[in-house]
Amino acid sequence: MDIVDRDLEKAERDASPSRFPVAKTEDDQLRRAETVSSGTSSSSSASSVIREEMRMSRVNTQRDLERHPTALSRIETQRSQHSGTVGRSLKSRESRKPLPGFGAGKPYPPPLPGQEEYVVEFDGPDDPLHPQNWPMKKKVLLGVILGYTTLVSAFASSIFSAATIQVAAAFGVSTEVGLLGLSLKLPLLIAMFGFSVFQIAVAVGKDLQTVLICRFFGGVFGSCPLAVVAAIFSDMFGNRTRGLAITVFSMTVFTGPLFAPFIGGFIIMNPSLGWRWTEYLVAIMGFLAFGLDLIFLQETYPPVVLVEKAAELRRRTSNWGIHAKQEEIEVDFRELVTKNFSRPLRILVTEPIVLLLSIYMAFIYGLLYLFLTAYPIVFQRIHGMNPGVGGLPYFGMVLGMILAGVYIAATQPAYNRKLEANNGIPVPEWRLPPVIIGGVAFALGLFWFGWSGYRSDIHWIAPTLSGLFTGFGLLAIFLQALNYLVDAYLMFAASAIAANTFLRSIAGAVFPLFSMYMFDAIGVNWSGTLLGCVAALLVPIPIVFYRYGHKIREKSKFAPILPKPPAAGETSSED
C-alpha cells in the first residue's frame, strides 16, 4: 500500500477499533473509552445550551450513548469516512504564500476553543434525523421508488436488443453494428433526467451515428441508479434488514433486462409503433422515475444529513462556528485520481480474491446479456415464435432469480445469529455457500439450455425451464460474491467493487458482440456446452476461498485482519 492507503487504514482503525482490532493494553482501551465519553459529554453540553436558547426541549442522551454502541459506531464511521474522503488531506494544495490581511484593520481572531464542541453529531442512537431511524413506511416507499428507478435503467439496457434487426435494416448496417447500441453501456455518472432526454434523442435519431452516440450518453446517465441506489439502501437499512434490501435491489438490476425483450418484441411487431417506440417508452418511464425521485427522495448520506443540520443550527442560533465534519472537506484532484482510479486497478491486479471473483462475476454478467442474443435464436429462429411471444421464456430466468432471492432471504436469520455470536464481527466466508450452490446450478442450467434448445422437436418448455437454474445461479453468485468482497475489504470495499465493476462492464459490452458468431458457427448445443464447461471450471473459485480465504486475507495488503471468534464461555465486552 502507498502512503495514502496507509493513512486511510490508520484513520479507519483509529475511528473504529472494534471493527479493526489490534493488540492493545487494557489501559489503552480505558483511555480511549474515557476520551470518547468525554467528547460526547462536551457535545451534549454544547447541544443543551443551543437548544435552551432556541427554547427547544432536550433529552439527555449521554447515558443512551454509553448504553448503545450503535451511536458510538455511527460517530466512528462518520469520522473514518471523513478521514478517508477525497480532499480531507490537501497536501497538494499547501501554499507558501503569506496569509492575506484579515481586513478592515482587524487582527486574526483566535481559533475556536474546543473545536470539536462545534461539530454536530446525531442525538443518540434513536435520532429521527438518521436515515436508519426513519419510519419503516417511509423507507419502504423510498425503496420502492428507488427500485423502480433502477429497474428503468436496467430495462433500458436491453429493450433495444429487440429492435436491433429493425435498426440494422433501417440504417443499412449489419446486426453486429446494430448491437453496438446495446453494448455501449459504460457506467459512469448521473441523472435520470439526462437519461430520459437521451432516450428521446435515440428515438428521433435520423442516422446510426446519432443512435449510437445517444445510446452511449444514455448509458452514462442511466448508470447512476446502478451505482448509487445500493449505497442509499445501506444508509437507510441497518445490519439486520440491509441484506434483504440489497437482495431486492439486485433483483431489479437483473430482472430489468429480462422484462424488456418481450415488451420490445410486441412493440416492434406493431406497424404503427416500430423500433423508435422502444425508446419513447423508456423515456416516459425515465421521466416518471425522475419526477418521483424529485418529489420524494431525501438525502440519506449521514455526513450530508449532518451538514444540513449544522446549517439549520447556524441560522437559528447565529453561532457561525457550528459545522459538520463533512464541511471541512475540499475536493483535491490528485487524491481523486489516487483513491478513485489507481487504487481499484492495483487491488484488481494484486489481490487474488478480487481478481478471481471479478472474473467469475464478469463471466456471469456477460452471459446475462449474451442470453439476449441466445434466447431469440432458440425461441424465434428454431421454434418459430414471433418477437413478442419469443421474449416470454425469459420469465423462466426471472422465476429462478426470485427463488434465489427467497433462498438468500431465508438464510439471513442464520447469518444474523452467527453475527451476534461473533460480537457483531462478520466473517466474510460465511457469505460463500450460496455462491457455491449457485455456481453448480448455473453450470447445470447452461448445459440444459444448450442440449434442449438446439432442435425444434424438443418442446419449448425444456429450454425455458433451464432458466430456473441459470437465473437462480446468476443472482446467488452475484449477490453473495459482492457481499463477500465488501466484508473482506471493508475500508477498501469501494475500491474492490469499482475494480469488479470495471471487469463486469467490459464483459457486458463484449459478450453480445461475439455471441451471434459463436451460435452460428458451432450451434446452440455446443455453445451451451462450451459456456457450461467454463462455468463449471469457475465453480472451485468460491470453494477455495471458503476453505482458504482467511489465510489469503492474512497476506493481503488491503484486507483487514478480523479477530477470531471468541472461545466458548467468553463474553463480549459490550455485554
Side-chain angles (χ1 to χ4, degrees):
M1 293 188 287
D2 60 19
I3 188 171
V4 176
D5 296 333
R6 286 194 293 271
D7 289 344
L8 176 57
E9 182 180 25
K10 182 178 183 300
E12 192 79 35
R13 290 184 183 279
D14 290 343
S16 304
S18 60
R19 295 175 65 200
F20 313 112
V22 294
K24 290 187 178 182
T25 66
E26 188 174 348
D27 291 341
D28 290 337
Q29 294 174 354
L30 288 173
R31 281 196 295 271
R32 178 170 181 81
E34 290 170 0
T35 301
V36 172
S37 178
S38 175
T40 306
S41 299
S42 300
S43 298
S44 297
S45 299
S47 177
S48 177
V49 172
I50 291 170
R51 296 194 178 199
E52 188 171 284
E53 292 175 353
M54 294 160 53
R55 297 181 181 179
M56 295 174 62
S57 61
R58 177 183 180 276
V59 177
N60 190 330
T61 60
Q62 170 61 23
R63 181 172 298 180
D64 290 338
L65 288 174
E66 291 177 343
R67 290 179 177 177
H68 293 276
T70 300
L72 294 178
S73 174
R74 287 173 181 172
I75 294 174
E76 291 169 353
T77 300
Q78 291 147 20
R79 297 301 172 87
S80 64
Q81 288 172 336
H82 172 69
S83 300
T85 300
V86 170
R88 175 65 185 100
S89 55
L90 297 178
K91 297 178 181 178
S92 62
R93 292 191 182 182
E94 293 178 354
S95 176
R96 298 180 180 178
K97 297 180 180 180
L99 285 172
F102 197 70
K106 298 179 182 179
Y108 273 93
L112 291 174
Q115 184 175 350
E116 281 297 310
E117 297 183 7
Y118 291 83
V119 175
V120 297
E121 308 283 4
F122 287 109
D123 195 19
D126 300 319
D127 189 339
L129 285 180
H130 197 287
Q132 290 186 9
N133 296 327
W134 289 351
M136 184 55 68
K137 290 182 179 180
K138 178 178 180 179
K139 292 194 284 187
V140 170
L141 173 63
L142 291 178
V144 170
I145 293 173
L146 292 170
Y148 170 72
T149 301
T150 307
L151 181 69
V152 171
S153 179
F155 181 88
S157 70
S158 63
I159 193 172
F160 193 78
S161 65
T164 52
I165 296 177
Q166 285 197 3
V167 172
F171 296 115
V173 296
S174 67
T175 54
E176 285 71 29
V177 175
L179 277 170
L180 290 174
L182 167 66
S183 60
L184 283 178
K185 181 178 173 293
L186 303 177
L188 295 175
L189 288 176
I190 55 181
M192 292 308 294
F193 180 78
F195 165 82
S196 303
V197 168
F198 277 104
Q199 302 311 309
I200 294 178
V202 173
V204 300
K206 301 300 182 184
D207 51 49
L208 184 63
Q209 299 94 303
T210 302
V211 170
L212 296 183
I213 291 173
C214 292
R215 282 285 294 175
F216 168 79
F217 283 107
V220 169
F221 283 95
S223 65
C224 180
L226 304 177
V228 173
V229 169
I232 296 176
F233 279 10
S234 297
D235 290 336
M236 289 195 301
F237 296 96
N239 290 333
R240 294 186 175 276
T241 56
R242 185 181 301 130
L244 181 60
I246 298 299
T247 299
V248 174
F249 161 75
S250 299
M251 291 175 65
T252 64
V253 172
F254 284 103
T255 58
L258 303 180
F259 284 127
F262 84 92
I263 296 176
F266 283 118
I267 289 175
I268 65 173
M269 288 173 58
N270 190 326
S272 61
L273 296 178
W275 71 267
R276 296 183 187 275
W277 266 95
T278 61
E279 300 305 306
Y280 283 129
L281 174 63
V282 174
I284 294 170
M285 295 171 64
F287 279 122
L288 176 59
F290 170 73
L292 292 173
D293 294 339
L294 183 65
I295 296 172
F296 294 104
L297 189 60
Q298 292 182 235
E299 180 59 57
T300 62
Y301 186 47
V304 178
V305 173
L306 290 176
V307 169
E308 297 173 353
K309 177 180 179 179
E312 180 182 1
L313 291 178
R314 284 195 298 269
R315 288 193 304 268
R316 299 178 66 176
T317 65
S318 298
N319 187 339
W320 307 111
I322 297 174
H323 68 284
K325 275 289 182 181
Q326 190 77 2
E327 294 179 282
E328 299 176 6
I329 293 174
E330 298 179 45
V331 175
D332 179 72
F333 182 74
R334 181 179 299 178
E335 286 191 76
L336 183 69
V337 172
T338 300
K339 294 183 178 180
N340 291 355
F341 292 96
S342 65
R343 185 188 297 136
L345 294 179
R346 284 189 287 117
I347 288 180
L348 181 64
V349 299
T350 61
E351 294 291 313
I353 290 177
V354 177
L355 178 61
L356 292 177
L357 278 182
S358 295
I359 291 174
Y360 196 2
M361 295 169 71
F363 174 72
I364 65 169
Y365 192 76
L367 286 188
L368 174 67
Y369 286 91
L370 181 142
F371 283 132
L372 300 179
T373 301
Y375 270 55
I377 291 175
V378 170
F379 295 103
Q380 296 178 37
R381 183 191 299 179
I382 295 177
H383 286 278
M385 298 180 181
N386 61 47
V389 175
L392 294 176
Y394 284 110
F395 276 90
M397 289 186 65
V398 171
L399 182 57
M401 292 180 182
I402 293 175
L403 293 175
V406 171
Y407 165 66
I408 293 173
T411 62
Q412 192 66 28
Y415 178 84
N416 288 336
R417 287 193 294 270
K418 290 182 180 179
L419 194 64
E420 185 176 355
N422 201 36
N423 297 329
I425 300 173
V427 175
E429 283 70 32
W430 290 343
R431 301 285 192 179
L432 291 178
V435 180
I436 299 170
I437 296 173
V440 174
F442 190 69
L444 176 62
L446 290 174
F447 286 117
W448 185 341
F449 179 78
W451 288 99
S452 65
Y454 76 107
R455 288 166 45 182
S456 60
D457 59 342
I458 300 176
H459 197 279
W460 59 265
I461 196 62
T464 300
L465 291 177
S466 71
L468 294 174
F469 290 87
T470 52
F472 179 93
L474 198 151
L475 187 66
I477 294 169
F478 180 86
L479 179 60
Q480 293 300 80
L482 204 63
N483 284 329
Y484 177 69
L485 289 178
V486 172
D487 288 346
Y489 288 91
L490 292 176
M491 66 191 78
F492 298 111
S495 296
I497 298 304
N500 181 273
T501 302
F502 174 73
L503 279 189
R504 283 194 290 111
S505 300
I506 293 176
V510 170
F511 272 48
L513 298 180
F514 70 78
S515 58
M516 188 71 72
Y517 292 110
M518 180 179 68
F519 284 107
D520 287 341
I522 62 177
V524 172
N525 51 346
W526 291 111
S527 296
T529 301
L530 174 62
L531 297 174
C533 288
V534 174
L537 290 175
L538 294 175
V539 169
I541 291 177
I543 297 176
V544 170
F545 290 152
Y546 183 73
R547 181 67 180 84
Y548 302 105
H550 64 288
K551 295 182 179 180
I552 296 174
R553 288 186 287 109
E554 287 176 357
K555 300 177 181 179
S556 170
K557 296 180 180 179
F558 294 94
I561 300 176
L562 297 173
K564 296 180 180 180
E570 291 185 8
T571 58
S572 169
S573 60
E574 297 175 358
D575 293 340

